[in-house]
């Protein structure tokens, strides 16, 4: 998908599921209404955490040029 426009609010939705064989399937990502299907399944990795959470990680390019990011209304829904 295209790089999001700078200095504009973007809406991102990630869809994933746990399969009947206890794997994690990344189904799709929707950015500003455009859905892109991933459909990749992975084995779970062990962790000592006893929780389910949402995290955001800012990664830099090779020269590590500074940049800013604003997050609003971050949520996790499960069923």
């Amino acid at each position: 998908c295209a790089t999001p426009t700078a200095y504009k609010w973007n809406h991102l939705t990630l869809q994933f599921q746990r399969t009947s064989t206890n794997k994690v399937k990344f189904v799709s990502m929707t950015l500003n209404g455009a859905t892109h299907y991933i459909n990749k399944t992975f084995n779970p990795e062990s962790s000592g955490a006893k929780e389910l959470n949402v995290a955001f990680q800012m990664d830099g390019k090779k020269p590590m040029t500074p940049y800013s990011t604003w997050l609003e209304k971050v949520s996790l829904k499960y069923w």
Side-chain angles (χ1 to χ4, degrees):
C1 54
T3 302
T5 304
Y7 306 106
K8 176 185 173 229
W9 285 108
N10 294 283
H11 183 246
L12 173 66
T13 302
L14 299 173
Q15 184 179 2
F16 53 93
Q17 71 184 59
R18 184 176 302 247
T19 68
S20 60
T21 57
N22 206 33
K23 295 186 178 190
V24 178
K25 180 178 182 181
F26 292 86
V27 179
S28 66
M29 66 172 279
T30 302
L31 180 61
N32 299 324
T35 301
H36 304 274
Y37 292 94
I38 303 167
N39 290 324
K40 297 283 184 185
T41 303
F42 299 94
N43 290 316
E45 294 193 22
S46 63
S47 168
K50 302 281 188 221
E51 63 187 10
L52 180 63
N53 61 43
V54 176
F56 175 76
Q57 179 177 334
M58 291 175 50
D59 292 328
K61 295 181 180 179
K62 188 175 181 179
M64 295 303 290
T65 304
Y67 64 96
S68 298
T69 300
W70 294 270
L71 293 177
E72 182 179 65
K73 298 181 183 177
V74 176
S75 64
L76 172 66
K77 297 177 185 175
Y78 66 95
W79 57 96

